[in-house]
Amino acid sequence: MIDRLEALRAEADAAIAGAPDEAALRELEVGYLGKKGAITEVLKGMKDVAPADRPRVGQVVNEVRGAVESAIARRRESLEAARIAALCEDPTFDATLPGPVPRVGALHPVTQVTWHVEEVFRAMGFMLLDYPEVETDWYNFQALNIPADHPARDMQDTFWLEGGHLLRTHTSPGQIRSMQSFAPPFRAIFPGRVFRYERIDASHEHTFHQVEGLMIDRDISVANLIHSMKTLLGAIFEREVTVRLRPGYFPFVEPGFELDIQCQVCGGSGCSVCKHSGWVELLPCGLVHPNVLRFGGLDPDEWSGWAFGLGLSRLVMMKYQIEDIRHLAGGDLRFVAQFR
Ligand code: FA5
């Protein structure tokens, strides 16, 4: 067996040294070392070797296999060097020409800002949650203190589905769902798409993004809420932005506020995005209404909370000074490529 191996080694050495190209070399590699290769075949005879001789024979097998492997590697290197040298001799080859540039994609600005908002809130100990886009009337309205005949339903025109389901008009149903899932105190944000049966214009889409935030604890106050909103906006815009707080009505918070931001597209002088008012409605918020805490299964005498529903699509527009919301879902890759 040792003689057979030594003969194979000599034969392989000569064949490898004479291999004219990579294809021939690859064929030799398979022929000697492959599953059905000559060396592998010899190895199968190991079972017939006397036990006392096995260590010595085994050593030779390993040596021969290693030698063939390194002969192949050396030949491969020299073939490659010869190929490059030949290329350099070719007068039509210009090594200074730029190579093909890979096409690099870009994350959509909504994704980028969503991730940024998530990062800011995670650093403040908030959980990141995800809730269904198809909701029931109960989660989307009733449990948020908006009964069937409540005029506040008109504030959010709804896409109704079969079987009493609907496309969620806001991310607020997550307030009830999270209260049902987590024992207080807890804090969470839930970003996502929302849908409204609305006429679209420069600042209104039928499908847009919101991020809801909810903090449930004992003795929560408006001061906690304002501090968190300021931290968020400071981090997102990376500069001072002018905001104003006004009373706002939402059946699920009491008191409720509208936090507006000075329009970053026109700087406050008036444009189509801010409807020539200089301000953009961005961040409705307030203290969670006791009825909503009850619907979520919490005792309002013990627990309190704040919530906000950030208009994420509008935030993206303000951050990047995008003058029309329809660009966001327009599917034009030239638009997305600008946010690389
Ligand atoms: C709500 O959706 C409430 N759920 C927010 C809330 C949550 C209030 C928690 C209090 C506590 P509103 O309908 O105002 O509120 O929408 C919230 C934000 O979404 C708006 O400030 C605005 O920035 C954005 N928005 C509303 N409608 C559209 C639309 N058609 N296109 C794009 N953005 C919109």
Side-chain angles (χ1 to χ4, degrees):
M1 193 162 169
I2 290 181
D3 291 346
R4 170 86 186 109
L5 281 165
E6 290 299 353
L8 269 177
R9 175 192 200 152
E11 179 196 309
D13 269 350
I16 290 165
D21 52 28
E22 172 61 30
L25 191 62
R26 179 81 196 119
E27 219 168 277
L28 288 171
E29 195 171 23
V30 175
Y32 284 104
L33 303 170
K35 262 195 203 155
K36 292 184 181 156
I39 294 178
T40 321
E41 287 299 324
V42 175
L43 259 180
K44 288 181 187 161
M46 274 295 270
K47 59 180 186 320
D48 305 324
V49 176
D53 295 336
R54 275 190 199 157
R56 200 167 55 85
V57 176
Q59 195 186 348
V60 175
V61 168
N62 283 337
E63 271 171 26
V64 170
R65 207 211 321 246
V68 172
E69 276 170 2
S70 34
I72 289 174
R74 277 197 310 274
R75 182 66 187 149
R76 185 163 278 142
E77 240 171 65
S78 76
L79 282 173
E80 182 60 8
R83 193 182 67 82
I84 292 172
L87 256 184
C88 294
E89 292 296 309
D90 181 350
T92 61
F93 175 72
D94 181 355
T96 63
L97 275 180
V101 181
R103 281 165 55 125
V104 180
L107 283 177
H108 194 283
V110 169
T111 307
Q112 293 190 28
V113 173
T114 307
W115 287 5
H116 197 167
V117 171
E118 289 172 8
E119 195 182 297
V120 172
F121 278 98
R122 267 187 213 264
M124 294 195 282
F126 280 69
M127 294 183 284
L128 175 61
L129 305 175
D130 187 27
Y131 288 118
E133 292 180 341
V134 172
E135 265 301 359
T136 61
D137 186 291
W138 192 80
Y139 278 108
N140 196 80
F141 292 123
Q142 293 170 43
L144 290 168
N145 211 22
I146 314 176
D149 52 357
H150 198 288
R153 289 203 175 205
D154 295 344
M155 291 159 73
Q156 300 182 359
D157 291 324
T158 308
F159 286 111
W160 291 96
L161 306 173
E162 283 169 6
H165 285 83
L166 50 85
L167 291 180
R168 66 177 175 192
T169 56
H170 51 176
T171 40
S172 301
Q175 290 188 30
I176 304 295
R177 289 187 178 276
S178 57
M179 283 184 223
Q180 289 176 332
S181 312
F182 298 97
F186 71 88
R187 50 185 89 171
I189 56 163
F190 11 104
R193 279 193 310 176
V194 302
F195 311 85
R196 291 192 195 173
Y197 185 45
E198 285 204 25
R199 197 153 57 148
I200 60 173
D201 60 26
S203 54
H204 291 83
E205 259 290 9
H206 50 69
T207 302
F208 57 99
H209 290 78
Q210 291 186 341
V211 180
E212 192 90 3
L214 177 68
M215 182 166 186
I216 300 285
D217 209 328
R218 294 185 170 89
D219 305 320
I220 289 288
S221 73
V222 174
N224 299 130
L225 170 64
I226 293 175
H227 173 76
S228 302
M229 299 304 95
K230 278 193 169 161
T231 308
L232 169 69
L233 293 175
I236 296 293
F237 286 99
E238 296 162 46
R239 66 185 134 97
E240 274 287 311
V241 285
T242 310
V243 297
R244 71 177 185 191
L245 200 64
R246 30 182 196 101
Y249 174 67
F250 302 92
F252 34 96
V253 285
E254 181 57 38
F257 305 100
E258 286 278 9
L259 194 148
D260 300 337
I261 175 173
Q262 194 170 61
C263 182
Q264 304 291 298
V265 176
C266 62
S269 59
C271 68
S272 61
V273 172
C274 60
K275 301 232 172 66
H276 304 281
S277 69
W279 295 94
V280 173
E281 199 185 284
L282 190 70
L283 232 174
C285 50
L287 298 187
V288 181
H289 195 289
N291 286 349
V292 175
L293 290 169
R294 269 188 216 104
F295 277 118
L298 303 181
D299 177 0
D301 291 329
E302 188 179 359
W303 299 105
S304 50
W306 59 244
F308 68 83
L310 169 69
L312 197 85
S313 303
R314 299 238 177 111
L315 179 65
V316 170
M317 294 171 75
M318 291 299 103
K319 181 167 166 73
Y320 295 114
Q321 296 169 17
I322 298 166
E323 79 295 348
D324 195 315
I325 196 169
R326 288 166 285 201
H327 288 311
L328 294 181
D332 187 338
L333 286 181
R334 291 170 307 174
F335 168 76
V336 183
Q338 296 175 81
F339 301 94
R340 204 167 277 156

